[in-house]
Amino acid sequence: MSVKAFELVPAVEREKFLLDKSKTEIECIECCGKNLYVGTDNCFVFHFKLEEDHIGGRTTYHCTKQGHKFLNLRKPIAQLKAASALNRIVVLCDGILTFLNMFDLEPVLSGSKIKGVTCFCLNENPARANPFSIEICVALKKKVLQIYTFTEDKMIHSRDVVISEPALTLSLDGAFICYATANEYNIINYEDGYKQTLFPYDSDSDPHTVPYVKRISKEEFLLSGPNALGMFVTTAGISQRPPLQWNEGVSSVGYKHPYLLAMNDEFITVHSIIDQQQKQTMPFQGKHLGDFDGKIFVASSREVYALVPIAWQKQIQALLGDKRVEEALELARNSPRAGLSQDKFQKTLKRIQLQAGFIQFAENQLAEAKDLFVMGDLDVRELISVYPSLLPIQSGFTRSVPPLHEIPNLVTLCSGDEDRMVQYKDFLVDYLQHIRDQNSQNRLEIDTALLKIYAETNSAQLVDLIGSQCSCDLQEGVDHLQKYGCYFSLGLLYKNNKEYDKTMQVWSRVQDGHYNDEHFPGLDFIVEFLSSLSDHDLVWKYADWVMEKDQELGVKIFTQRPSDEVITEKMRPDNVIDYLHRFPKSVIGYLEHLVFTNRLEKEKYHTHLAVLYLDHVLQLIKNTNIDKQLINIARSKLKHMLQVSNLYRVQLILSKVKETELYEECAILYGKLEEHEKAIRILVHKLRNYEEADKYCLFNSEGKEATYRKKLFQILLGVYLDPSYERRDLLIQPAVLLLNSKESTFDTLKVLQLLPENWSVGLLANFLLYSVRHSLNDARTTHIQRMLLRGENLNKKQMLIELKRHPVNMTEDR
């Protein structure tokens, strides 16, 4: 595919170098700065001075003839090369290499001519960095390559390199000479003599292959290969770029990044080294083409033209106009940046990326478009403006000038294709989600567009959007959400804008069934909202409404308040309790919150909760059809309350419990009153729960002295061995187990006094063994403690004796 990368501009017209009416033709050209040199077929060298002008965005040249020189050899000038370091022009004519002054074209280094030369080249990358010398490689007809070093006043023959066939063309880079013979290309290192054959070609069977070698960059050459291929070769003998396919018979090549220009006898073709594609073709019957210090000149037999590059920005716009996006982007990334700062180039590149992105967008290449929009830092409003009615009303955005695209709107682009419209909306959502957290500057436009699309599609993501500090205008959001029936999100939007009363108005109507919204989470969500609300008037306004729907859920309005909330008069616990009396389940839940969660140490709350627990248990017991498991759960709560709390009015609760068969609860209450024998007798005689009796002793002695625990276990043993109890025989086994238990502790003498005389020693063996060991251990421990204290006493006495041994001096000051 073509693009106009260069244009031909006349540089030197025919009449400028005509000396007479003879048919003088151009053979070669050379340019150095503003100096242009032309070699002709009748052995003349012309010198012109070129002035470059830029008028109206176009480049023109004006030339002035500075002089000419006839070499008197009657042969065409074969090659011209400028050596600006020495102000010399190197001329090859009739196999003789001559040196002329750049300005007056007079010969220099008289007598220093090299004869029998077929071609020559300058070393543009010399190993010796002497700025006042040049290195030249010449190819002789006698199969020899010679290296010369030239200075201002002398010529030094450095070395000879013998080759197998005469060189037809060559190029030099550092110590590497790349040359072509009649049938192959070679590369040789003239310092170490290492030679490598690159590839052969058959000039007889392929007469269109003209051998050609050009250095295009450091350590890299371009060769004219068979089948009209331009082959890239490095000094290592390898190719790092794909070959170029050019026209047959290429005789000259020029290079200006990123383009290679190749000329044969009919055309000049322009090729990109980026993608190896031919970009432009210009009909031209030329004699010579070359690149000179970044400029490219081409000569016909009669005139000289400049190949002026079209500004890369214009080339890119032309490619974008043809929707050749990849080529445009590749050219933008690899274009020369002369005259552009890094910031300006990046700004230009980003605009190109955005233009390319909108082209891909219009072509429905949405993944590619997204990448380009991200790389180009797209003003997201430019994209949103393509979608009808998605920009906020208050947005004052106007599209970029000059425009980035020619898309009027999405409706026109899709031409009524609904499926395509859906794809584009999905793309916009994906892109906006991707950039939302990174683009705070245009958050209003982003959130408004997302809200409108989510509402229109009834997307579940609408809730997440509004819940994440949506920046949409309130009234515009309300209108759109009402339009599409998104009432839960409408309430959230009101909530974000602190319109809490309106929030509850909407949600209560949804809960009551006046509005329908499948995304509404239910009454739990409303309770959670009310529990976090600092507007206590509004909380009380809707508390009745919630309680009438669900007491157990409604009490969370009061129990799940923020921990750092300032308690107002309306939220004082006493006021809340008074209000909740209408809702029995709720008042229990609230008191549990005060007692167990907030750990308020107020007798009235603890007593109130215990009474409610007890009343609830008694109510369940009266109901003969009730599930026993429910009774057990209620009694567990009551017993837990009675055990862990020390603040309720024990006598009040006990007076109610004694009239019932709640023996376990009665035992707990006796324990609170320190009436342990009554409690234990209930556990042993009424409930016959010996394990629970053991636990009672452990629980009530926890955290107290060992003597207190002995006392409780002594009472329990006494109850087991009470001779006045009618069924005392049933208590022998639990008494023995108690004595032999590792957790129980006793005063051994008191136990022996209690034991019946008819009990055998074997029955008490474990108890007696443990008691003896424990007694011995106590005795030994006491003995050790006494000895340690005696030693400590002796140490103190010794210290006192030492202190008394030395006198104490007393003065007036001390």
Side-chain angles (χ1 to χ4, degrees):
M1 300 178 73
S2 63
V3 62
K4 188 175 182 181
F6 294 88
E7 60 180 353
L8 281 170
V9 175
V12 182
E13 298 178 351
R14 168 74 173 167
E15 56 269 16
K16 295 291 185 180
F17 56 86
L18 281 178
L19 298 176
D20 52 30
K21 295 184 180 180
S22 62
K23 296 182 179 180
T24 300
E25 293 188 359
I26 299 172
E27 289 292 328
C28 58
I29 57 175
E30 173 70 0
C31 184
C32 181
K34 295 183 177 181
N35 301 291
L36 178 69
Y37 302 90
V38 179
T40 66
D41 63 342
N42 52 6
C43 206
F44 277 92
V45 177
F46 289 86
H47 175 204
F48 298 94
K49 185 175 182 181
L50 292 180
E51 295 292 341
E52 184 177 327
D53 294 321
H54 301 278
I55 302 174
R58 297 184 63 84
T59 301
T60 59
Y61 286 92
H62 173 73
C63 73
T64 304
K65 183 179 174 182
Q66 303 295 304
H68 65 273
K69 181 68 176 178
F70 177 61
L71 298 188
N72 201 25
L73 293 174
R74 303 296 178 185
K75 293 287 185 178
I77 303 295
Q79 269 184 275
L80 291 172
K81 288 291 182 183
S84 59
L86 303 178
N87 294 327
R88 302 286 185 264
I89 292 292
V90 187
V91 184
L92 176 61
C93 180
D94 195 21
I96 300 174
L97 203 65
T98 307
F99 295 86
L100 306 179
N101 186 284
M102 284 184 68
F103 304 109
D104 58 15
L105 301 182
E106 291 300 320
V108 295
L109 294 175
S110 300
S112 299
K113 296 182 179 180
I114 305 173
K115 298 182 179 181
V117 178
T118 58
C119 58
F120 76 96
C121 66
L122 302 184
N123 193 346
E124 298 178 32
N125 180 33
R128 302 177 184 87
N130 183 358
F132 303 107
S133 68
I134 61 171
E135 190 173 66
I136 297 179
C137 178
V138 300
L140 304 181
K141 296 177 182 178
K142 52 184 181 180
K143 305 179 184 179
V144 175
L145 303 178
Q146 292 184 333
I147 306 297
Y148 289 90
T149 300
F150 288 88
T151 62
E152 185 75 25
D153 54 0
K154 62 181 177 180
M155 176 179 70
I156 303 171
H157 180 191
S158 303
R159 93 181 52 220
D160 290 341
V161 179
V162 178
I163 55 178
S164 59
E165 296 291 335
L168 303 181
T169 181
L170 78 168
S171 188
L172 180 62
D173 183 283
F176 294 91
I177 307 169
C178 185
Y179 65 95
T181 64
N183 53 22
E184 65 181 15
Y185 287 94
N186 299 278
I187 192 166
I188 188 169
N189 186 324
Y190 69 72
E191 289 186 343
D192 59 18
Y194 177 76
K195 175 185 173 185
Q196 183 177 0
T197 300
L198 299 176
F199 58 85
Y201 69 96
D202 190 347
S203 58
D204 295 331
S205 61
D206 188 7
H208 297 293
T209 300
V210 179
Y212 186 85
V213 180
K214 178 175 178 59
R215 177 185 179 272
I216 63 166
S217 64
K218 184 178 180 181
E219 299 181 352
E220 187 174 22
F221 302 99
L222 177 64
L223 316 179
S224 178
N227 301 318
L229 289 177
M231 310 289 290
F232 296 94
V233 179
T234 66
T235 54
I238 60 175
S239 180
Q240 295 179 331
R241 307 178 198 255
L244 295 175
Q245 184 67 58
W246 54 30
N247 293 333
E248 295 180 341
V250 169
S251 59
S252 297
V253 174
Y255 174 64
K256 184 172 179 60
H257 184 80
Y259 295 116
L260 273 168
L261 297 90
M263 185 184 75
N264 63 6
D265 54 3
E266 294 183 355
F267 300 99
I268 297 173
T269 55
V270 181
H271 306 262
S272 170
I273 65 169
I274 298 171
D275 58 9
Q276 288 72 49
Q277 298 299 311
Q278 182 174 316
K279 302 297 182 181
Q280 186 180 2
T281 302
M282 293 175 280
F284 191 85
Q285 294 181 347
K287 298 283 287 186
H288 185 82
L289 180 149
D291 55 82
F292 312 98
D293 299 327
K295 299 178 181 179
I296 297 180
F297 290 95
V298 60
S300 67
S301 60
R302 295 175 179 272
E303 296 174 319
V304 179
Y305 295 85
L307 279 166
V308 179
I310 302 297
W312 60 272
Q313 293 94 332
K314 292 183 179 179
Q315 296 181 47
I316 289 169
Q317 293 305 318
L319 289 169
L320 292 175
D322 293 335
K323 299 181 180 179
R324 293 156 61 183
V325 172
E326 291 301 327
E327 290 181 68
L329 292 171
E330 200 67 42
L331 178 58
R333 286 189 285 264
N334 293 278
S335 293
R337 306 179 188 180
L340 290 178
S341 64
Q342 180 67 17
D343 290 342
K344 192 170 183 180
F345 173 77
Q346 286 297 325
K347 185 176 180 180
T348 303
L349 177 61
K350 286 183 177 182
R351 180 175 175 83
I352 292 168
Q353 290 170 331
L354 294 180
Q355 289 179 279
F358 276 106
I359 291 172
Q360 298 285 45
F361 178 81
E363 295 294 316
N364 206 27
Q365 302 296 320
L366 300 181
E368 293 81 358
K370 178 182 176 181
D371 293 339
L372 289 168
F373 288 157
V374 172
M375 287 189 290
D377 290 336
L378 173 68
D379 183 339
V380 69
R381 298 174 296 178
E382 189 81 41
L383 178 61
I384 297 174
S385 68
V386 175
Y387 294 75
S389 304
L390 288 192
L391 276 175
I393 296 173
Q394 65 192 64
S395 176
F397 172 74
T398 55
R399 290 190 179 181
S400 175
V401 179
L404 291 171
H405 58 89
E406 299 178 354
I407 305 171
N409 56 64
L410 193 63
V411 176
T412 305
L413 180 63
C414 294
S415 302
D417 187 340
E418 290 297 328
D419 291 339
R420 195 175 178 193
M421 286 278 288
V422 171
Q423 288 180 3
Y424 276 111
K425 287 182 180 179
D426 290 344
F427 165 77
L428 180 62
V429 168
D430 177 63
Y431 181 72
L432 295 180
Q433 288 174 338
H434 177 75
I435 67 167
R436 183 171 183 257
D437 293 335
Q438 308 162 13
N439 195 329
S440 58
Q441 184 177 358
N442 299 314
R443 190 67 176 269
L444 171 66
E445 288 82 359
I446 293 172
D447 286 359
T448 301
L450 284 172
L451 182 142
K452 290 180 178 180
I453 294 176
Y454 287 155
E456 183 181 343
T457 57
N458 194 27
S459 171
Q461 292 176 298
L462 177 60
V463 174
D464 296 331
L465 172 70
I466 297 178
S468 59
Q469 298 302 316
C470 178
S471 300
C472 176
D473 175 70
L474 176 60
Q475 190 55 52
E476 190 171 5
V478 168
D479 294 342
H480 219 75
L481 294 172
Q482 285 179 335
K483 178 181 177 181
Y484 292 102
C486 302
Y487 295 106
F488 175 52
S489 298
L490 176 60
L492 286 175
L493 186 61
Y494 279 132
K495 174 178 174 287
N496 285 352
N497 288 273
K498 300 185 178 180
E499 298 278 354
Y500 301 129
D501 197 7
K502 291 182 179 179
T503 297
M504 284 304 303
Q505 289 176 24
V506 174
W507 286 349
S508 63
R509 292 183 69 83
V510 176
Q511 181 65 33
D512 289 339
H514 299 295
Y515 294 150
N516 184 32
D517 188 340
E518 64 184 50
H519 299 298
F520 183 64
L523 189 61
D524 295 39
F525 190 82
I526 294 178
V527 169
E528 182 181 348
F529 168 66
L530 289 173
S531 68
S532 63
L533 203 58
S534 59
D535 185 350
H536 295 164
D537 290 332
L538 188 60
V539 173
W540 285 108
K541 179 179 178 180
Y542 286 94
D544 273 358
W545 176 77
V546 175
M547 287 294 180
E548 289 170 359
K549 292 185 177 298
D550 190 327
Q551 290 186 36
E552 293 183 356
L553 187 60
V555 74
K556 292 182 180 179
I557 295 174
F558 306 102
T559 61
Q560 295 184 353
R561 314 279 324 154
S563 58
D564 57 348
E565 182 182 48
V566 177
I567 302 299
T568 64
E569 182 65 24
K570 293 183 179 181
M571 281 294 169
R572 284 182 56 244
D574 290 346
N575 293 336
V576 175
I577 292 171
D578 291 342
Y579 165 74
L580 292 177
H581 275 147
R582 295 161 46 198
F583 310 100
K585 293 181 180 178
S586 296
V587 74
I588 289 178
Y590 186 68
L591 286 169
E592 287 176 338
H593 170 72
L594 296 178
V595 171
F596 298 123
T597 305
N598 289 357
R599 300 183 182 278
L600 293 183
E601 297 185 350
K602 287 192 175 183
E603 176 269 327
K604 60 180 178 179
Y605 298 149
H606 287 247
T607 301
H608 195 172
L609 180 58
V611 170
L612 290 178
Y613 276 158
L614 178 58
D615 290 344
H616 181 55
V617 170
L618 296 177
Q619 187 178 0
L620 290 176
I621 292 173
K622 289 178 181 179
N623 189 344
T624 57
N625 298 322
I626 198 70
D627 187 354
K628 288 186 178 181
Q629 188 172 358
L630 295 177
I631 298 176
N632 292 336
I633 293 172
R635 289 189 66 182
S636 296
K637 286 186 175 182
L638 175 59
K639 288 187 288 185
H640 175 71
M641 173 67 190
L642 297 178
Q643 282 183 328
V644 301
S645 175
N646 295 317
L647 297 174
Y648 59 88
R649 293 166 60 187
V650 179
Q651 291 289 2
L652 175 63
I653 306 300
L654 181 59
S655 65
K656 293 186 176 186
V657 171
K658 285 197 297 185
E659 299 174 0
T660 69
E661 295 183 357
L662 301 178
Y663 298 123
E664 290 183 57
E665 292 80 351
C666 191
I668 294 171
L669 292 168
Y670 278 127
K672 292 290 182 181
L673 295 173
E674 296 287 327
E675 297 182 15
H676 298 298
E677 185 172 351
K678 290 182 180 180
I680 291 173
R681 287 189 180 278
I682 290 174
L683 294 173
V684 174
H685 296 162
K686 295 287 186 182
L687 298 176
R688 297 179 184 175
N689 191 336
Y690 313 124
E691 183 178 352
E692 193 64 32
D694 290 350
K695 291 180 180 179
Y696 175 89
C697 295
L698 293 172
F699 179 81
N700 284 278
S701 62
E702 187 174 354
K704 298 182 180 180
E705 296 180 355
T707 55
Y708 194 88
R709 175 169 292 191
K710 285 183 179 182
K711 173 185 173 183
L712 292 183
F713 277 107
Q714 199 76 28
I715 293 172
L716 176 58
L717 182 62
V719 171
Y720 283 153
L721 301 179
D722 184 4
S724 63
Y725 183 57
E726 302 174 347
R727 308 180 67 181
R728 57 182 175 276
D729 294 341
L730 298 176
L731 302 179
I732 295 175
Q733 183 177 0
V736 173
L737 293 174
L738 178 65
L739 287 171
N740 294 327
S741 172
K742 293 182 179 180
E743 294 180 340
S744 58
T745 57
F746 297 96
D747 184 328
T748 307
L749 293 177
K750 291 182 179 180
V751 170
L752 293 176
Q753 292 172 2
L754 283 175
L755 291 178
E757 296 181 358
N758 58 347
W759 280 22
S760 66
V761 175
L763 192 63
L764 301 172
N766 291 336
F767 168 71
L768 295 173
L769 182 60
Y770 171 78
S771 298
V772 170
R773 288 178 177 175
H774 185 71
S775 178
L776 288 173
N777 182 68
D778 288 347
R780 290 167 180 167
T781 302
T782 302
H783 179 71
I784 292 171
Q785 290 175 343
R786 189 171 62 254
M787 293 298 104
L788 290 172
L789 291 173
R790 181 178 293 179
E792 181 69 17
N793 181 259
L794 289 174
N795 288 335
K796 297 299 181 183
K797 286 182 177 180
Q798 182 181 1
M799 292 172 61
L800 180 61
I801 292 170
E802 292 292 332
L803 290 172
K804 289 181 177 180
R805 182 177 298 175
H806 302 288
V808 177
N809 296 324
M810 299 181 66
T811 64
E812 293 182 357
D813 299 332
R814 187 178 173 187

